Amino acid sequence: MVSVTTELLERLRAAGVRDVLGDNTSRAAYSSDASLYRVLPEAVVRPRDRDEVLATLAVCRDLGVPITSRGGGTSCAGNAVGAGVIMDFSRHMGQVLSVDAEARRAIVQPGTVHATLQKQALAAGLRYGPDPSSHSRCTIGGMIGNDACGNRALGYGKTSDNLLGVELVTASGDVLRTREGDARADVIAASSVWAGLDEVAGRHLGTIRTELGRFKRQVSGYAAQRLLPENGFDVTRLFAGSEGTLGIVTEAEVALIAEPSHRLLVVLGFPDIATAGSAAVEQLPFGPVAVEGLDRRIIDVLTRRRGPDAVPPLPRGDGWLLVELTGDDPGEVQARAEALCAAADAVEARIVNDPKEAASIWRVREDGAGLSSRSPRERPAHAGWEDAAVPPDKLGPYLRDFDELLLQHDLTGLPYGHFGDGCLHIRIDFPLDAPGGLAAFGSFLGESAALVASYGGSVSGEHGDGRARSGLLKHMYSSAALDMFAEIKHHFDPDNLLNPGVLVDPAAPTEDVRVALAKPVRVPLALAYEGDGGDFSQAVHRCTGVGRCRADSTATGGVMCPSYLATGEEKDSTRGRARVLQEMVNGSLVQGFSAPEVHEALDLCLSCKGCLSDCPTGIDMASYKAEVLHQTYRKKIRPRSHYALGQLPRWVRAGSRVPKVVNAMFEVGEKFSAAKKLAGVDPRRSIPPLATETFRRWARSNGVGTYGDPIPGGRVGVLLVIDTFTDHFSPEVAQAAVRVLRSAGYEPQITERNGCCGLTWISTGQLDAARKILGSHLDDLLGAAEAGMPIVGLEPSCTAVLRSDSLELTPGDRAEKVAHATKTLAELLQDTPDWKPPSLNGTRVIAQPHCHHHAVMSWSPDAELLRQAGADVRRLGGCCGLAGNFGVELGHHDVSVKVAEHQLLPALRDEPDAVLLADGFSCRTQADDLLDRQGVHLAQLLDPQRD
């Protein structure tokens, strides 16, 4: 007997649907969105055009298979997960079809990412008004589904306010088109669908007028108030907020507005978040486009994770309002800001005139959903009740009552939100994995919904109801209103094919909760996961699905996620990988560390660690990959590359005894290709030559002592970490570092023994061996750390091991002391009194920060040092693509090159005469291998003997 899934896949492909996924890896990757909910689809369809949408619908109608539309998968309420078919519009239907600057309109496909539309609108001197915090990856179709708003909805309205027309397909296969302003009579005459809808609305006029459209952020349920005669029977805007339950949008026309020439941020500090909430409405007479709330708790979490410099200075207080004013006259905007500050009853007010500083403050607000994934008690915090709204003038009292409710349930969270509109966002540390946790979750949801209803509010203010809150609509709507919603749903979708269980006939919000299904994974683990209670399950569930990994942040120096930017595949995003690992923890579809689905998802992970810093939830996929490889191959035969590349320092040290012989062997061209393949190395990769004189040999003849030797008078001792790559491939880097350090008043020393941090063993999951190798290295460094001597690393990836990986692989006092003492060259020099860098005036520098440098140490000290030196720096984001052993291994070359083509290679082609600054050996090797471009280390750029 043919299974439903097999028949579904065969029928879809036979119907001409070209991109259909039915493998377990893809099903796992699409099993959740940014919500708590997990529902396995039978298949994923990524349509290329409307015809494929119609073909998919026809097959699903025939087989009785439900369909859920999905954009960027950033839904916090479970709107974008479902059984049956997930229809992902972001892969192929993401084009901006037209921008009419004169008419201030744009036509887009549903999978168009907000940032893509915004970029084209801004180029025409316009903007698309709504701007959710997920604007870098959410799609316009998804925004329509949720009636999304964003930080500036106060000034620019919700998605529905900016929606001018849609083309949509109904479950029965009808193609309908709507347009703003069409007369009711004309609409009704155009289709029996509209005529029937008019009859439904006519039966419920009293309910609609009394229960719907009471304030701007009431988005729960269907927007039936749009159908009232006095509102012109606006069928276009009915579909905003319908969450894909009434039809599938295949095209949308949206309004664009003129972009103000001047923006100014005012930050107001208050004693607490509730006082800030009460004060929000007092700012409205000043005409702000945004009045956003922040709480001390979210600031404390951010500074605890990323350091005190992670948040720009804020006015005194424990709750803040971010008030943005706009206009075309800078003087008028400034005067309005000053008047607002004078009138505000704030502890302290501050006008932020620096756009970069304002952007940094806004970034804190935009990262709220991810940052708040850990509660103030450092417990996992969850969505589910993160989107309630009340009339703005009632926000302060509501916040006080809501805080009291949290206390009664022994829960905490990090509140923030769109306070000018009365909307509160918060992630809460529900004990979902504890006995009785789901019941407690359900009890809290019921009480919270009743509280919101008592204030005349809405259980959803912009994220939609989805699986999280559809079951709570009974608290805020009468049975008559719920019956009306059901009539509207069944009118458009009588067979209940479109996103069933959302808005109408919902399951309880405690059903299909992903975290509650997870099982703890504690022993035997190779890494400590101290921040996650030693539980691998809790670690991978850090991913809440906000999808930051799907955004291209490389233009602003970000790194995550290079493989997704290269392939565009959900399974190659950090989120997709986390979902597969979560399925592994669940154990029903994906079973065990060695499961092929796990290895397929992790195969193209570069272990760049970009997610460690760029993902607001703190995912560390490089460590998870190392754990998976460790668990899979422990005491078993490994892939060939693990022996060749994963134990590279061992072979390099052996080869360095006869470097000329080894180099000659590597230069025999095609004759060596077979040997490369045998070692798991792509034959297209060249092998960097070994230095004929290692740094350690050079050091002995140039007065560089070993740790413990006397320090010459007037100098400060520094222990220089000599890693394998620097010693055997790039000794000139360490030589330059010696000269730079001596010029700054330091006397560098090295350890007596050859040391290795074990990085290549770590990245290939040989963690038992890595622990021994790293432990020995830490023993050699510990004396200097305890003596207060700075330890300076030159190779960023090895330095990052000492600063970060060692704490998980060899936790304890020894690792902590060495990590605290270890610095980059720039960090040390920046803290050196009276030292000034040599002049680099007139030097054009293309800087490729190493991924681990960016993720673990921060490249900011390097940037500041270069600024002081007068260099003209173009900093690149993204990964170079080589990433240690990744780009060398068989099967990875093409993706490695695609990653390099994202930023590095185009920049080098654009500026052939610029100096390539790349501290990472991998980064320099990639540029040399692919473009024959030589890179230099910061030490070489600062070398007093530099030409």
Side-chain angles (χ1 to χ4, degrees):
M1 181 176 178
V2 177
S3 70
V4 173
T5 299
T6 302
E7 183 179 3
L8 173 64
L9 297 175
E10 291 175 351
R11 291 276 300 273
L12 286 169
R13 289 164 181 150
V17 183
R18 288 166 282 181
D19 192 352
V20 181
L21 306 174
D23 60 285
N24 284 349
T25 305
S26 297
R27 293 175 66 207
Y30 282 88
S31 63
S32 190
D33 45 17
S35 74
L36 284 175
Y37 298 94
R38 174 253 187 199
V39 181
L40 275 175
E42 294 291 326
V44 177
V45 168
R46 301 186 296 188
R48 297 178 184 271
D49 51 39
R50 185 185 64 207
D51 289 343
E52 291 196 2
V53 174
L54 288 166
T56 302
L57 274 165
V59 171
C60 290
R61 271 197 313 274
D62 195 30
L63 295 177
V65 173
I67 297 177
T68 300
S69 297
R70 177 172 170 133
T74 57
S75 161
C76 297
N79 330 53
V81 295
V85 167
I86 295 290
M87 191 173 288
D88 178 4
F89 286 95
S90 68
R91 188 71 173 98
H92 303 298
M93 292 183 69
Q95 302 300 310
V96 177
L97 301 177
S98 67
V99 173
D100 186 337
E102 185 175 350
R104 296 186 178 180
R105 295 168 179 256
I107 298 176
V108 300
Q109 293 180 313
T112 302
V113 172
H114 178 287
T116 302
L117 171 60
Q118 197 69 289
K119 183 177 181 181
Q120 295 193 32
L122 290 172
L126 303 170
R127 66 168 288 135
Y128 178 57
D131 60 341
S133 296
S134 56
H135 57 83
S136 60
R137 61 269 188 198
C138 73
T139 64
I140 303 301
M143 291 178 65
I144 293 171
N146 293 354
D147 198 6
C149 301
N151 297 338
R152 296 174 178 85
L154 190 63
Y156 303 141
K158 305 189 295 291
T159 298
S160 57
D161 300 318
N162 295 269
L163 187 61
L164 303 179
V166 295
E167 175 188 88
L168 70 145
V169 178
T170 68
S172 60
D174 293 323
V175 178
L176 303 176
R177 294 176 179 84
T178 74
R179 189 173 175 85
E180 179 200 38
D182 287 349
R184 175 171 174 268
D186 293 338
V187 173
I188 293 171
S191 169
S192 60
V193 174
W194 305 133
L197 180 63
D198 185 54
E199 291 177 7
V200 172
R203 291 194 293 271
H204 298 279
L205 292 178
T207 299
I208 295 172
R209 288 189 173 112
T210 56
E211 297 195 43
L212 298 177
R214 291 175 287 107
F215 70 106
K216 286 197 296 185
R217 286 301 184 104
Q218 182 185 356
V219 304
S220 285
Y222 292 124
Q225 72 273 14
R226 303 289 189 180
L227 303 178
L228 291 171
E230 57 266 35
N231 291 334
F233 195 64
D234 187 352
V235 294
T236 294
R237 294 191 169 105
L238 170 70
F239 287 96
S242 62
E243 304 183 34
T245 62
L246 303 182
I248 299 174
V249 173
T250 52
E251 197 173 287
E253 184 174 14
V254 298
L256 304 177
I257 60 174
E259 171 75 351
S261 60
H262 191 65
R263 293 183 179 276
L264 196 58
L265 175 64
V266 178
V267 185
L268 305 175
F270 296 92
D272 53 56
I273 194 69
T275 306
S278 293
V281 292
E282 298 171 4
Q283 316 313 316
L284 301 185
F286 294 93
V289 297
V291 178
E292 298 291 293
L294 274 180
D295 184 76
R296 163 66 65 186
R297 286 164 280 188
I298 202 167
I299 301 301
D300 288 346
V301 165
L302 181 58
T303 53
R304 186 163 62 247
R305 278 191 211 158
R306 301 182 184 174
D309 297 331
V311 180
L314 297 173
R316 288 179 291 112
D318 288 327
W320 294 271
L321 291 179
L322 311 183
V323 185
E324 185 173 270
L325 305 175
T326 63
D328 292 325
D329 182 347
E332 184 276 331
V333 177
Q334 181 72 29
R336 198 160 17 117
E338 292 171 358
L340 185 152
C341 290
D345 186 18
V347 175
E348 187 177 3
R350 180 163 170 248
I351 299 173
V352 182
N353 288 294
D354 181 357
K356 290 184 178 179
E357 185 177 354
S360 297
I361 295 173
W362 277 118
R363 198 169 299 120
V364 174
R365 167 61 189 85
E366 290 178 355
D367 281 349
L371 293 168
S372 60
S373 65
R374 307 290 288 185
S375 76
R377 296 185 288 197
E378 280 301 320
R379 298 199 316 212
H382 308 286
W385 184 263
E386 84 296 328
D387 189 35
V390 298
D393 60 342
K394 299 179 180 179
L395 180 60
Y398 166 70
L399 288 172
R400 288 188 175 86
D401 285 349
F402 184 71
D403 253 345
E404 180 61 31
L405 186 62
L406 288 172
L407 285 173
Q408 292 173 12
H409 284 262
D410 189 28
L411 299 170
T412 63
L414 307 174
Y416 62 100
H418 313 294
F419 281 14
D421 279 327
C423 184
L424 171 68
H425 295 319
I426 186 170
R427 299 291 174 99
I428 301 172
D429 53 1
F430 301 114
L432 296 173
D433 55 347
L438 271 181
F441 173 56
S443 175
F444 177 84
L445 292 181
E447 291 182 44
S448 297
L451 176 63
V452 165
S454 73
Y455 277 95
S458 175
V459 294
S460 181
E462 67 172 328
H463 293 165
D465 297 314
R467 296 173 181 274
R469 290 178 291 275
S470 294
L472 303 176
L473 295 180
K474 61 187 178 184
H475 290 279
M476 61 175 289
Y477 289 124
S478 67
S479 58
L482 297 179
D483 289 344
M484 177 190 63
F485 294 158
E487 282 192 57
I488 293 174
K489 163 70 173 174
H490 296 146
H491 174 72
F492 281 97
D493 183 19
D495 295 325
N496 200 26
L497 289 179
L498 302 182
N499 211 358
V502 170
L503 291 174
V504 174
D505 298 325
T510 52
E511 294 293 320
D512 299 318
V513 175
R514 170 173 36 84
V515 178
L517 298 171
K519 303 167 186 174
V521 178
R522 298 182 183 279
V523 283
L525 295 171
L527 300 175
Y529 305 103
E530 290 188 345
D532 299 292
D535 183 1
F536 185 77
S537 175
Q538 193 175 125
V540 299
H541 273 95
R542 276 180 176 265
C543 177
T544 60
V546 293
R548 183 82 173 269
C549 47
R550 286 172 53 102
D552 184 358
S553 61
T554 58
T556 55
V559 170
M560 180 182 70
C561 177
S563 52
Y564 175 77
L565 294 179
T567 69
E569 296 287 345
E570 176 71 17
K571 71 176 179 63
D572 295 326
S573 68
T574 305
R575 179 178 70 182
R577 295 183 178 111
R579 292 294 180 247
V580 174
L581 290 173
Q582 289 165 6
E583 283 297 311
M584 182 199 81
V585 168
N586 172 275
S588 57
L589 178 71
V590 178
Q591 299 179 353
F593 284 98
S594 60
E597 296 90 349
V598 170
H599 288 262
E600 181 184 359
L602 291 174
D603 179 50
L604 295 184
C605 172
L606 285 79
S607 297
C608 68
K609 282 190 176 290
C611 49
L612 181 64
S613 59
D614 295 0
C615 173
T617 67
I619 284 287
D620 185 0
M621 195 56 64
S623 292
Y624 306 162
K625 181 177 181 178
E627 183 75 64
V628 166
L629 294 175
H630 168 79
Q631 297 290 346
T632 300
Y633 295 112
R634 188 180 187 190
K635 298 181 180 180
K636 296 178 183 176
I637 299 297
R638 289 176 164 270
R640 296 188 301 272
S641 63
H642 287 199
Y643 299 105
L645 300 174
Q647 300 179 18
L648 184 65
R650 176 178 296 166
W651 314 129
V652 166
R653 284 195 294 271
S656 68
R657 298 169 186 165
V658 284
K660 293 182 180 179
V661 174
V662 173
N663 292 340
M665 182 176 66
F666 288 160
E667 290 173 358
V668 296
E670 291 299 320
K671 295 180 181 179
F672 197 62
S673 293
K676 288 181 182 178
K677 287 184 178 180
L678 186 62
V681 174
D682 193 290
R684 290 168 287 185
R685 283 293 180 187
S686 61
I687 306 296
L690 290 168
T692 55
E693 181 184 39
T694 67
F695 171 76
R696 283 184 169 273
R697 291 176 192 151
W698 179 91
R700 284 196 294 270
S701 59
N702 283 272
V704 178
T706 57
Y707 174 69
D709 289 347
I711 304 294
R715 293 190 171 274
V716 177
V718 169
L719 186 61
L720 199 58
V721 178
I722 304 303
D723 58 273
T724 300
F725 304 100
T726 301
D727 194 22
H728 295 280
F729 292 107
S730 304
E732 64 278 3
V733 168
Q735 295 167 16
V738 168
R739 293 187 287 268
V740 171
L741 289 169
R742 284 174 172 168
S743 72
Y746 295 100
E747 183 56 37
Q749 295 185 334
I750 58 177
T751 57
E752 183 174 352
R753 296 190 299 179
N754 281 315
C756 180
C757 68
L759 172 66
T760 58
W761 280 269
I762 294 172
S763 62
T764 51
Q766 302 178 72
L767 298 184
D768 289 335
R771 186 178 294 107
K772 294 178 183 177
I773 294 165
L774 175 58
S776 177
H777 192 38
L778 292 174
D779 287 341
D780 290 344
L781 301 175
L782 182 60
E786 292 180 329
M789 178 182 284
I791 300 171
V792 175
L794 297 176
E795 173 57 40
S797 55
C798 299
T799 309
V801 170
L802 299 179
R803 287 272 283 265
S804 177
D805 299 75
S806 63
L807 302 175
E808 289 292 323
L809 188 58
T810 60
D813 191 55
R814 176 184 60 173
E816 289 177 4
K817 287 180 178 179
V818 172
H820 181 73
T822 300
K823 300 178 180 293
T824 66
L825 180 62
E827 287 173 335
L828 179 71
L829 294 175
Q830 279 290 90
D831 291 338
T832 302
D834 303 323
W835 179 84
K836 293 183 179 180
S839 174
L840 294 175
N841 288 326
T843 302
R844 176 63 171 169
V845 174
I846 293 177
Q848 172 68 60
H850 190 284
C851 296
H852 292 192
H853 196 155
H854 164 84
V856 176
M857 284 88 72
S858 171
W859 200 73
S860 297
D862 301 68
E864 176 59 22
L865 190 152
L866 292 168
R867 186 196 66 78
Q868 293 173 1
D872 180 13
V873 180
R874 174 182 176 183
R875 176 183 176 176
L876 304 182
C879 181
C880 74
L882 190 58
N885 58 291
F886 174 84
V888 182
E889 291 177 338
L890 277 171
H892 293 166
H893 183 271
D894 292 345
V895 170
S896 174
V897 174
K898 279 187 178 180
V899 172
E901 286 288 2
H902 194 72
Q903 284 258 330
L904 176 61
L905 299 186
L908 294 180
R909 294 188 192 103
D910 288 346
E911 303 191 54
D913 298 324
V915 174
L916 170 60
L917 174 62
D919 283 5
F921 176 72
S922 289
C923 306
R924 297 194 300 272
T925 300
Q926 181 81 317
D928 187 18
D929 206 31
L930 300 182
L931 213 58
D932 196 23
R933 186 75 167 267
Q934 304 300 309
V936 300
H937 190 281
L938 179 65
Q940 295 171 287
L941 196 60
L942 301 177
D943 189 348
Q945 296 182 16
R946 177 174 176 264
D947 293 336

